[in-house]
Each structure stands twice: as structure tokens, then as C-alpha cells.
Amino acid sequence: RLMTQIQSFEPDETGFQDSMQALQQHKIMTGGVKNQSLFNDTYKKQIYAPRTYPTAGKTPTLEKLQEFRRRYLAIDNLIFSVVSSASVASVIKTIDANIQPGTRSVANDFVVDDLRLNSISAPVNIALEAGGKQSYLFWGYTRAVTAQDVAPLTVLSLMLRDQILFDVRETQGLAYRMDVGIEVHGDRALVYLNMGTRPENIDRLVPQMETLFSAAYLQNIDQKNLDRLVNKHLGRMSFQRLSSANQGYYAAHSLYFFNDVGYDSNLLKQLSAVTIADVQRVAGKYLRAENPWQIVVR
């Protein structure tokens, strides 16, 4: 059934108009408040490189959509990720038996489109006025990252998030909502804080940034706390992979983005082996702000 749907699907005028109307309604409902939209647009354009396949721009026509469907939604572009008691040979046989004549000839090469981080050579300080009762702050910087540091950096991110959230939100009471940590995109890592707060809190928060993102800030973290955070994270990750559908998703995701079907499972194993010495090593290496972005919308 899936093979038939993929190979025979053809966008028509009715479906196209219905989808465009639903998309427009979604944009209206998720537009958000003026200052938050300005903040999100500003910081994302600063830290992320342009997408390979940008979503902004002119509204697609039905003809363009049909052309794209023929190039992109083709058998040779698909990853089949099957979790089943059936043998690999029988699954492959079933797939091959359902490939319709001519469908293999229209596939094109597509570049994997993932978020990529900008690299800057000087600090960026942007302050905008938008009105409203809430202000927003993004502070962060990027560093080149090596593959062997990804697992320790993930644990460092958990520890940093745990401590900063408690400090800024609970102890100081300076945040409504807050996202903080370390993201790895390809060969670069983004160390960041992203939050909304009352306008008067911005001036109290900004001077704290380099202190919060420093190795000294985490000097009191011990192995016991590391184990607690890692076990909690692994438990959540394992729960998300209990169903066969999710197992299939993570296998396909690993192959598409990392060209390694075992990337996800291997990373989880590496996380469980991270020690406090590993975290201290990457903290000293990556928790040194260079050319940070500071973006404030009041």
C-alpha cells in the first residue's frame, strides 16, 4: 500500500488549494506577538546559515509542485526502514516486487538539508525595540567541534542546562521561559541561552553571560550528579525508542543525516561511558566565549 501511494500520488488542483488554505490558517494562528516574531527572525538569521532548500519566498504553483514531486518523491530517493519479524531478504523482495515500471528513472540527487551554523570573526550586538510587556535575549557563540567530543559535549550540555536553569529561573527569578545548552550541527557546536523575561531583567542578565558559560561555573559538579543527569537523559531517549515505529525512524534518521544507520544507538552507548574527566576536558575546551552574539528585543 505504501509503495502504491508513493509511486501513484499526483498533486491535483483541489488538494493544492486545500493545502494552501490550511497553510495560511496555520501562519495566522502561529504568528505570535510582534516582539517575539521579530526576535525569532533576527537571531535565527544571525546564527544559522541559509538553508539549502529555503521555505521562504514565492508561493509555489501547482505545476512547480508536480515537477518537484516527480523529482523528489521517487523510489531511488527513499530510505525504507523496516522493523519486523520478517527476514531482510523477504522485505527486500516485497519492495522490489512493488516497484512500478519507469519509477526508477526520475530520481535526482539531493543534498542533505540540515541546520548549519554561521561562523563570525567579531562579536555581534543587536538591540531592537518592539514594545510589548516581554523582552527577549539570545546570547551564544560557536566553536569547531570534533567527532570524539560530541558525546561529552552532550553531557556537558545537560549539566550546564540543569545548573543555569536552576540559577536564573529558580534562584534569581529572572525568566519566564528559557532554553539553554549546547547544540552540535555538523562540525560546529553552538553554546547558547535563549529566553524571554521582563524588560527590566535584561540589564541584570547580560553581565552574567560569560560567567554562566565558563568552566569555573561547573567546578562543583561531581560524578554523582553527572550519573543522575545521564541516566535521566538515557531513560527518556530509551522510552522514545520503545516502539518499532520510532526504532525505524531513528535508524532512517541516522542513515540520512550521518550516513551511518547505527549512529543513534552508538551515541547512546557513548553517553553512558562519559566520565567527569571527559566533561571537564570539553568544558575547558568549549566554554570559552569567542565572538558571541548578543541579541536583545525589548
Side-chain angles (χ1 to χ4, degrees):
R1 177 177 176 81
L2 179 61
M3 293 284 287
T4 299
Q5 293 293 322
I6 290 170
Q7 295 174 95
S8 62
F9 170 69
E10 186 66 30
D12 58 23
E13 184 65 36
T14 300
F16 177 72
Q17 294 300 335
D18 288 346
S19 297
M20 294 304 297
Q21 183 177 358
L23 180 61
Q24 186 61 34
Q25 291 175 346
H26 175 75
K27 288 181 178 178
I28 294 173
M29 294 176 63
T30 59
V33 295
K34 178 183 176 181
N35 54 355
Q36 185 176 16
S37 297
L38 176 62
F39 172 73
N40 289 336
D41 291 343
T42 302
Y43 91 78
K44 288 179 181 179
K45 288 178 181 177
Q46 283 289 322
I47 67 172
Y48 295 117
R51 300 298 293 266
T52 304
Y53 309 115
T55 56
K58 296 181 180 179
T59 302
T61 63
L62 175 60
E63 291 72 21
K64 287 292 185 181
L65 188 63
Q66 290 170 336
E67 177 190 351
F68 182 76
R69 172 262 177 273
R70 286 189 289 272
R71 291 189 297 116
Y72 185 77
L73 195 59
I75 291 298
D76 283 356
N77 287 335
L78 300 178
I79 296 174
F80 288 89
S81 184
V82 181
V83 180
S84 170
S85 59
S87 69
V88 174
S90 65
V91 172
I92 293 175
K93 182 178 180 181
T94 301
I95 292 173
D96 287 341
N98 283 277
I99 296 177
Q100 299 172 6
T103 57
R104 303 192 74 103
S105 61
V106 294
N108 277 22
D109 289 334
F110 284 85
V111 177
V112 173
D113 187 15
D114 198 8
L115 287 175
R116 292 167 293 128
L117 298 170
N118 283 324
S119 177
I120 58 176
S121 57
V124 173
N125 191 336
I126 298 174
L128 302 173
E129 297 286 341
K133 297 181 179 179
Q134 186 167 3
S135 293
Y136 296 89
L137 167 66
F138 180 92
W139 193 93
Y141 59 92
T142 66
R143 299 290 301 275
V145 64
T146 57
Q148 62 265 32
D149 288 344
V150 172
L153 270 178
T154 302
V155 178
L156 176 63
S157 178
L158 295 173
M159 301 175 77
L160 199 62
R161 174 182 172 84
D162 187 65
Q163 186 152 324
I164 293 178
L165 282 178
F166 184 79
D167 184 350
V168 174
R169 190 170 62 187
E170 306 300 331
T171 303
Q172 300 187 60
L174 297 179
Y176 290 143
R177 61 154 191 86
M178 192 173 179
D179 186 20
V180 58
I182 303 172
E183 294 179 359
V184 176
H185 297 282
D187 59 356
R188 297 198 70 82
L190 171 67
V191 185
Y192 73 97
L193 177 145
N194 181 335
M195 63 182 293
T197 187
R198 294 187 298 275
E200 62 269 22
N201 290 337
I202 294 293
D203 294 334
R204 294 178 57 188
L205 283 162
V206 168
Q208 300 183 42
M209 292 300 103
E210 292 200 22
T211 300
L212 295 177
F213 292 98
S214 67
Y217 186 71
L218 291 173
Q219 62 183 351
N220 295 325
I221 300 294
D222 57 18
Q223 185 70 43
K224 182 178 180 180
N225 193 39
L226 182 153
D227 292 338
R228 174 183 66 84
L229 291 171
V230 170
N231 290 336
K232 181 180 178 181
H233 179 71
L234 290 176
R236 185 167 61 251
M237 295 299 100
S238 298
F239 181 79
Q240 293 175 359
R241 290 153 178 77
L242 287 177
S243 71
S244 56
N246 280 0
Q247 291 172 30
Y249 165 78
Y250 283 107
H253 183 276
S254 295
L255 182 62
Y256 180 72
F257 285 103
F258 302 100
N259 198 31
D260 176 8
V261 72
Y263 179 88
D264 178 71
S265 58
N266 290 335
L267 179 58
L268 295 182
K269 292 176 183 177
Q270 292 169 15
L271 290 176
S272 63
V274 172
T275 66
I276 195 68
D278 295 326
V279 174
Q280 291 170 340
R281 176 180 62 80
V282 294
K285 183 177 179 181
Y286 293 94
L287 293 185
R288 290 184 288 109
E290 294 180 0
N291 301 322
W293 285 283
Q294 180 177 300
I295 300 169
V296 175
V297 173
R298 297 179 186 268

